[in-house]
Amino acid sequence: MYLRALTSLADDGTTTCSSEELAASAGVNSAKLRKDLSYLGSYGTRGVGYDVEYLRYQIAREIGVTQDWPVVIVGIGNLGHALANYSGFRSRGFRVVALLDADRDRTGETVAGLDVRAFEDLESIVADNDVSIGVIATPAVAAQSVADRMVAAGITSILNFAPTVLSVPDGVDVRKVDLSIELQILAYHEQRKSVSSEVVS
Amino acid sequence: MYLRALTSLADDGTTTCSSEELAASAGVNSAKLRKDLSYLGSYGTRGVGYDVEYLRYQIAREIGVTQDWPVVIVGIGNLGHALANYSGFRSRGFRVVALLDADRDRTGETVAGLDVRAFEDLESIVADNDVSIGVIATPAVAAQSVADRMVAAGITSILNFAPTVLSVPDGVDVRKVDLSIELQILAYHEQRKSVSSEVVS
DNA sequence: GACGTTTTGTTCTCCCGTTCACAAACTCCT
DNA sequence: AGGAGTTTGTGAACGGGAGAACAAAACGTC
Ligand SMILES: NC(=O)c1ccc[n+]([C@@H]2O[C@H](COP(=O)([O-])OP(=O)(O)OC[C@H]3O[C@@H](n4cnc5c(N)ncnc54)[C@H](O)[C@@H]3O)[C@@H](O)[C@H]2O)c1
Ligand SMILES: NC(=O)c1ccc[n+]([C@@H]2O[C@H](COP(=O)([O-])OP(=O)(O)OC[C@H]3O[C@@H](n4cnc5c(N)ncnc54)[C@H](O)[C@@H]3O)[C@@H](O)[C@H]2O)c1
């Protein structure tokens, strides 16, 4: 989030910023921001603030997005199409090297300038491109088996969009994005709002 | 997550489950699960476990997804199309009542059986359908102004996909889904893995 | 009806992230 | 050069979530 805020400040032509300003753009408390940054090193100047470009680079280096990370996307349906077409990944240090789908009808289709390839090609693509990050956008029932194949092929980080809990060996990271649950959380708070207003009225 | 795990168990024909089993399907610790459920009430039976269907209904009721929540999606680009076509929302208590876009070329297009309508129609759609949840899938530059319009129209919960911090009045909930940050988190751990293995070798 | 077994509900403790608050460090002005 | 003003970096206090552990409750068996 700080990286994003800094990039945005740099685009606006800002060269220097205080922890207060940066915290405001990132939407957090300034003390938290300073403590977070202090774990990376002492990149600020007391009485002055932080150099936007310098700090931006330091954070990018710490995260590891100064290099380009190759990524494969498996499951080129509704969501897979959107992800493949998204330009924001490229500009933030990620490069989609392959789109894979089990459906023979989709194989050969071209999405965002890339051919959709057969799921069987996973192993060779991962090996050839040194891919360590995989995205799962298949239906939930297929997700675990896709994850297993990914892990066997050498992928060690998975971003999962399917609404299912994946089990993977130690050493493999999984993050999941669950849009239905996000909506349900909103609905819960929404319900509580209307309940409490009913009590008032 | 528990709701999803219970639905999945119910689909498998399971009628009763222990906290241990349910925790395993949800991917959490069983003590945590029991404590979480205890906030809702005492729905289990000691020595037996939980009745799957009964507990499922109780959680759904608590969250507020026994009723259908009307939702509007603004920004029918790559991501908006995917969201509109997603059937999982409907089955989890949400109903997409309108798709809105500022681009006149998109207006009139039909996506997932719904006409894409002009962004100007927001106020009347929200009022007519009693919409309280809005999804933002526009570019980042437009997100804040869309959010402002939503709030003015009466929406009080926003799910934001644009990579930007939204500021909204008190009483309005915002949740954001940031896919680039998810990938960056994976990349960070990935980088640390390779650094530590280099030290070993 | 008493006893052993199973499983929940809850207490207690630990740990970690967040925030406050302030000393240290830097700049600028006189 | 020195003092006033500003802003960082960090020690200390706070709060809350997570897990271990156990008492209470239900069930089955004899
Ligand atoms: N579309 C959304 O907006 C959205 C929102 C939330 C969650 N999701 C989740 O994301 C996932 C994908 O959603 P979608 O709408 O794109 O579904 P989809 O059905 O449109 O696409 C799924 C794709 O995966 C492919 N596939 C199926 N099994 C496969 C396998 N074993 N190996 C490789 N590819 C396989 C299918 O051929 C298809 O192209 C689902 O799990 C869904 O629940 C989607
Ligand atoms: N596509 C993805 O997979 C993906 C991934 C991560 C994040 N995002 C984010 O989601 C958002 C949408 O991404 P996308 O790829 O669908 O972009 P897109 O450009 O394909 O679609 C954006 C849509 O929003 C509409 N729009 C623009 N300004 C508007 C306004 N003021 N009011 C209403 N509609 C307006 C445009 O006409 C367009 O149809 C972006 O902020 C993007 O950063 C997308």
Side-chain angles (χ1 to χ4, degrees), chain B residues 53-181:
Chain B
E53 193 49 48
Y54 180 62
L55 182 59
R56 203 196 63 75
Y57 175 75
Q58 294 300 335
I59 293 180
R61 191 179 50 76
E62 179 74 22
I63 295 178
V65 293
T66 45
Q67 53 183 298
D68 246 34
W69 291 94
V71 172
V72 294
I73 302 177
V74 177
I76 311 301
N78 292 314
L79 192 57
H81 271 87
L83 295 172
N85 279 309
Y86 183 48
S87 57
F89 294 144
R90 168 55 78 94
S91 61
R92 291 191 181 84
F94 301 92
R95 185 165 39 90
V96 178
V97 295
L99 309 174
L100 303 179
D101 202 296
D103 187 346
R104 287 278 166 208
D105 294 344
R106 292 214 187 266
T107 309
E109 192 184 331
T110 302
V111 178
L114 283 171
D115 287 343
V116 177
R117 298 180 56 180
F119 183 54
E120 286 73 42
D121 297 350
L122 179 69
E123 283 77 9
S124 63
I125 291 170
V126 169
D128 293 350
N129 296 279
D130 202 17
V131 178
S132 50
I133 302 179
V135 176
I136 299 182
T138 65
V141 285
Q144 182 64 57
S145 69
V146 170
D148 293 344
R149 274 288 279 280
M150 281 183 169
V151 171
I155 282 177
T156 45
S157 289
I158 295 175
L159 182 57
N160 178 32
F161 287 91
T164 186
V165 177
L166 294 182
S167 69
V168 294
D170 284 356
V172 177
D173 285 313
V174 174
R175 294 192 64 88
K176 74 160 189 282
V177 174
D178 198 318
L179 308 184
S180 297
I181 285 188

Side-chain angles (χ1 to χ4, degrees), chain A residues 74-75 77-79 101-103 106 137-140 142 161-163 179, chain B residues 82-83 86:
Chain A
V74 177
N78 292 314
L79 192 57
D101 202 295
D103 187 346
R106 292 214 187 266
T138 66
F161 286 91
L179 308 185
Chain B
L83 295 172
Y86 183 48

